[in-house]
Every structure is written in structure tokens, then in C-alpha cells.
Amino acid sequence: MEFQIESRAGTTRVTGDMTVYAASELKTALLEQMAAGHTALDLSEVQELDTAGLQLLLMLNRDLLGGLRIVACSPGVRATLELTHLTRLIAAEAA
């Protein structure tokens, strides 16, 4: 499955997969959103997150000087973040 991006009120919602197959296009699209001030991510509709998707989240967080916030996430995304000890990226309202 491919991905879709929708932005509203400072939050970017990603739907689909964050995998190696979409990483390059997803990186470009998310960097554009971050440059526009959308620093919160809604990943509640992300079905698959692999190491390429995880690397993309870490790069975005680095570029935002630790300011990336995941305001919603699917069970699969949450499990991956817990497994990799990266739950600090999940905003309090999504925890």
C-alpha cells in the first residue's frame, strides 16, 4: 500500500505504510510539511512501519531539534516505538 499525507492545524496525518518502498517519497513530503510548521504527526492510520520508517522519524526529530511530536499512533507503530525505546516521541495526549 502506498501512503497519503493530509495536513491540518499543525498536524500531518500519514495513512498507509512507512516502509522502505515509500521512504524516499515520504521523506520529501514530510520534510515539506515540517518546513511549513507542521511538527506533529498523526500515525494512527499507518499500517506498517519498518526500519526505514523508523529512521525517517528519527531524522525528522533530529531536524526539529527534538521537537517532533507523535500525537496519535496505530498499535503497530506504538509497538515498534516501545520495542526500540523511542516512546519519548509520543506526545502525552497520545500516551
Side-chain angles (χ1 to χ4, degrees), residues 24 30 34 82:
S24 179
L30 288 175
M34 299 297 139
E82 288 173 353

Side-chain angles (χ1 to χ4, degrees), residues 56-93:
L56 179 56
L57 292 176
L58 290 170
M59 184 218 50
L60 292 171
N61 190 53
R62 182 197 66 212
D63 288 356
L64 292 170
L65 303 175
L68 179 68
R69 295 180 317 121
I70 298 173
V71 296
C73 58
S74 66
V77 170
R78 182 177 297 277
T80 300
L81 293 175
E82 288 173 353
L83 183 67
T84 56
H85 303 284
L86 292 172
T87 53
R88 62 182 158 73
L89 296 177
I90 301 173
E93 61 265 26

Side-chain angles (χ1 to χ4, degrees), residues 17-40:
D17 297 336
M18 292 182 69
T19 64
V20 66
Y21 303 108
S24 179
E25 295 88 6
L26 190 55
K27 176 182 176 183
T28 301
L30 288 175
L31 284 173
E32 288 173 4
Q33 294 302 314
M34 299 297 139
H38 302 280
T39 61

Side-chain angles (χ1 to χ4, degrees), residues 34-50:
M34 299 297 139
H38 302 280
T39 61
L41 286 179
D42 177 344
L43 304 179
S44 61
E45 298 296 321
V46 171
Q47 289 137 14
E48 189 175 350
L49 175 72
D50 68 5

